Structures are given as C-alpha cells and as structure tokens.
Amino acid sequence: MDFEFTSEDEAFRTEARGWLAARADGAQDRRTWERTLGKAGWIGIGWPEDGYGNRTATLTQQVAWAEEYARSGAPPRSGHIGENLLAPTLIIHGSEEQKSRFLPPVAAGEELWCQGYSEPGAGSDLAGVRTSAVRDGASYRITGQKIWTSLAHEADWCFVLARTDAGSRRHQGLSFLLVPMDQPGRVEVRPIRQMTGTSEFNEVFFDGAQARAEHVVGKEGQGWRVAMSLLGFERGVSTLAQQIGFAQELGRVVRAAVRTGAVDDPVVRARLVRQWAELRAMRWNALRTLGGSGDAGAPSVAKLLWANWHQRLGELAVQVRGAEASAGPCDWAPASPYELDPDQHLFLFSRADTIYGGSDQVQRTIIAERVLGLPREPKGVV
C-alpha cells in the first residue's frame, strides 16, 4: 500500500476527528479505533514487508507519523503489542503459513495480542519460567500462570514462553507458542487492580488439562532465541512518540506551577528546568540510536533514563499543586471506585515505571555485563 496520501486518507481524517470527539462520551471503544486505523492502512507501517493490508514507510516517515499521532491526543493503542512486538517477530521467525494467518488481522485491527512472559517466580529472571507445554498430537497442552500481562482482558491471542522440555533448565527447552485466549474454562484472566484504581495488568492461568496451542514460532526448544529477538523490538520509533506525551505532561506541570505560585520557589524552578533539559537529552539519545543495531546497552540506557525521569515528573506534578493534590476530582463514596485527575494518575502510575519492562536493577546488570564486561551476576538454579 502506497504511503502517499489519497482521498481515502482525507476520509480517514474525517472519521478520526469524529471518533476523537465522540470518545469523551464513550461512543466508541478502543477496538473500534484499531479497526479504523487498520482500514486506512496505518497499522504496520514499520514492518519491512507489505501485502498484509498495511502501508510501508521509511524510518523518517514512521517517526513523523508516531509523533503526530501523539500530538493529536489520539487514544492509547490497544493493538501495539501485536503490531510492534509479535508482527516483526513473525516476519523474522514465523512460517509463511503463520505470517499469512496472523499478520492481516493485526494490520486490520481485528485481533489484539498480549505477552505471556512474566510469572510470579520469573519476572526479571525470564529464564526461570515454569509454565509448561506438553505435545498432544498436533497441539500443546499448557499448564501454568503468567502475571502482569498487559491488556490480557482485551486480547484475542497471547504469545507465551513455555517449557516444552520437562527436564530442561534456564534458557534451554523453551518454546514460543501462540495461544488463543477464547478458551472458556481453560484460560482464565484475573485483572489486577492497581493503586490508580485501574486494571491494565492481569494474571492469566492455563489449565493443563484443556488449554491448547497449535502454533509454535521457530522450532520447538528455540523459544529463548525468538523471545530475545522480540524484546529487541521494544525500542524504536515508539520511544520518540512516548517523549511527545512526556512533553505534554511536563507542560501541564509547568502551567500548574505558574498557577499555584510554586514556580517562585528557586528549587522548584531548578527541577522544572532539569526536567526540560533531560527530556531534550533523551530525544537526542533516541535519535542517535534509532535504527541502529549492535549496541547491547542502548535499550537499557534508554529505559533507565525515561523511567526515572517520568517518576520524578510524577513527584513534581503533585508537589507544585500543594495540598490540593491530595483531593480527587470527584466526591468520594465508599461503594464507588475513586477517581484521579491526570496529575494524580501520573504520580501513582509512574511508581511502576522503574519496575515493569525490566527493573532498574536488571537494566544496570545488563549494562554491567554486556557493555562494561564485568563478571556475570550469579543466578540460582531453577
């Protein structure tokens, strides 16, 4: 599909403006928005191949699209896991049959995905996964539990790292399976309510007697290589779009500081300037590493930078508002969920920034071992 703008794109703009106007009233859900994007060919523009209903774009065009999407105030994407993680992995490691089956529905916004990696005993240490999969004819029976599974309550499919060799340890004997979520009584999703009052994360339980998967990406036992390849796609163009959102949040904090008079405090002014300067440095660093390969420490450095920056911004957001930041936007009732304003949500949710996606400790260990060449951290035997 050609990247050049057409009359269909103008129709998409009109539909998008209507959707954005309506979403404040809950007129359409996020799945409908994904289908709107897919219909216009705007899902998968970063894929190295077209022919799945997507249009392709240069790296510069991808950056322009991602940044303008963020600036527009468009809703958060519910299809980004399938588009930016699963799809590039399938393009590299999947069979032609798997690409033909799974990529078109992702590009159309018809099928949503979640990531089945972390477990209660294998979060930061991913190689310690215990979820098992036993071959049963042409499929696998899956037993185990995943945790912190983002958007599992909305997903149609989950890519799961499971142990297919019962006697294996650590990185050996793992397989990368594609599991349908619509298996009533076999796959159970339990939302995890966070201190923000929302439940984007979930626990997922697989009943080994019934839960099934028919697709393995790559060969059986090569799941670690596939899983690590997928993690390499977590950085890239989306980082620059994320920083547009950060800039909008910083602007809101600055305006609040001016309104409350907190900006008159030289310490607060210094913190605001530091946030602005560090955000610019993060952008330059992202541009420097964009499209690059072979820098083992780049993703970890980026994660350390933005996670700690965002957490400090959340603290600053409530500090500049003083006592008013402790009161919610609506009257509280014991029988109803509490509500948060954007600054309060920023403060509470950003507490997790230094944990999810690889904690600060894990990122520093990666830099120490893979960049500085320090001795490897001892791991316990699973």
Side-chain angles (χ1 to χ4, degrees):
M1 183 180 293
D2 195 351
F3 190 82
E4 295 298 323
F5 291 99
T6 66
S7 59
E8 292 182 355
D9 289 316
E10 185 56 42
F12 166 74
R13 290 190 187 98
T14 301
E15 185 174 355
R17 284 193 291 268
W19 197 96
L20 290 172
R23 87 180 161 101
D25 300 324
Q28 296 183 353
D29 61 16
R30 294 200 298 174
R31 186 179 286 265
T32 302
W33 176 242
E34 288 296 316
R35 291 170 179 155
T36 300
L37 291 171
K39 182 180 178 181
W42 288 114
I43 298 178
I45 66 172
W47 299 352
E49 300 180 20
D50 58 9
Y52 302 110
N54 62 305
R55 65 180 87 197
T56 57
T58 66
L59 190 59
T60 300
Q61 290 169 333
Q62 293 172 45
V63 170
W65 161 253
E67 291 188 334
E68 290 308 309
Y69 185 93
R71 287 192 181 97
S72 73
R77 294 286 308 283
S78 56
H80 65 92
I81 295 176
E83 177 186 9
N84 298 321
L85 298 182
L86 175 78
T89 303
L90 284 182
I91 289 170
I92 294 176
H93 299 285
S95 66
E96 290 302 319
E97 178 185 2
Q98 289 170 341
K99 288 188 277 189
S100 297
R101 164 59 185 87
F102 292 108
L103 294 182
V106 170
E110 294 289 343
E111 290 183 349
L112 304 181
W113 286 78
C114 60
Q115 180 179 21
Y117 275 18
S118 295
E119 299 180 7
S124 298
D125 184 16
L126 184 58
V129 297
R130 291 187 173 90
T131 294
S132 64
V134 178
R135 183 180 284 278
D136 184 6
S139 62
Y140 294 85
R141 289 185 287 108
I142 306 173
T143 303
Q145 175 190 358
K146 298 294 181 177
I147 199 167
W148 311 122
T149 311
S150 299
L151 303 179
H153 58 297
E154 299 181 14
D156 303 293
W157 288 82
C158 181
F159 48 87
V160 175
L161 191 62
R163 198 164 294 281
T164 48
D165 182 349
S168 64
R169 296 181 182 273
R170 304 296 300 165
H171 312 90
Q172 306 300 316
L174 299 171
S175 295
F176 190 96
L177 304 174
L178 308 183
V179 183
M181 295 294 285
D182 186 15
Q183 300 188 58
R186 305 172 183 179
V187 178
E188 181 183 358
V189 177
R190 299 180 188 173
I192 301 173
R193 187 174 180 182
Q194 299 137 223
M195 59 184 175
T196 56
T198 57
S199 303
E200 295 91 349
F201 301 135
N202 305 267
E203 294 177 285
V204 180
F205 296 86
F206 301 99
D207 179 355
Q210 299 291 334
R212 299 276 177 161
E214 297 181 356
H215 300 274
V216 56
V217 179
K219 295 181 179 180
E220 183 178 305
Q222 294 184 356
W224 184 257
R225 182 168 69 93
V226 178
M228 292 302 99
S229 175
L230 181 143
L231 291 177
F233 298 122
E234 288 191 319
R235 71 183 192 274
V237 171
S238 60
T239 301
L240 292 164
Q242 178 192 54
Q243 291 170 10
I244 297 295
F246 287 172
Q248 293 169 341
E249 291 175 338
L250 177 58
R252 189 175 70 236
V253 172
V254 171
R255 290 190 294 274
V258 172
R259 176 178 59 82
T260 62
V263 73
D264 297 330
D265 184 335
V267 175
V268 171
R269 286 203 306 274
R271 290 187 64 187
L272 290 170
V273 170
R274 177 183 176 183
Q275 293 293 129
W276 178 87
E278 290 180 346
L279 182 58
R280 298 299 297 175
M282 284 193 292
R283 175 174 175 78
W284 294 328
N285 182 65
L287 290 171
R288 179 183 65 84
T289 60
L290 190 62
S293 61
D295 186 349
S300 295
V301 169
K303 176 61 166 58
L304 285 170
L305 287 174
W306 75 253
N308 286 273
W309 182 93
H310 201 225
Q311 201 168 85
R312 291 194 301 272
L313 183 67
E315 296 167 355
L316 193 55
V318 294
Q319 178 186 352
V320 300
R321 289 176 54 188
E324 74 172 45
S326 63
C330 301
D331 291 338
W332 181 79
S336 302
Y338 56 84
E339 294 188 30
L340 303 173
D341 64 34
D343 293 330
Q344 293 165 335
H345 187 275
L346 168 61
F347 170 68
L348 292 176
F349 194 85
S350 63
R351 308 315 298 169
D353 285 345
T354 53
I355 301 174
Y356 69 76
S359 68
D360 277 10
Q361 291 83 355
V362 168
Q363 305 306 333
R364 292 189 177 101
T365 297
I366 291 173
I367 294 170
E369 294 177 355
R370 301 183 187 178
V371 180
L372 301 179
L374 297 179
R376 297 186 64 84
E377 182 182 34
K379 298 287 196 307
V381 176
V382 176

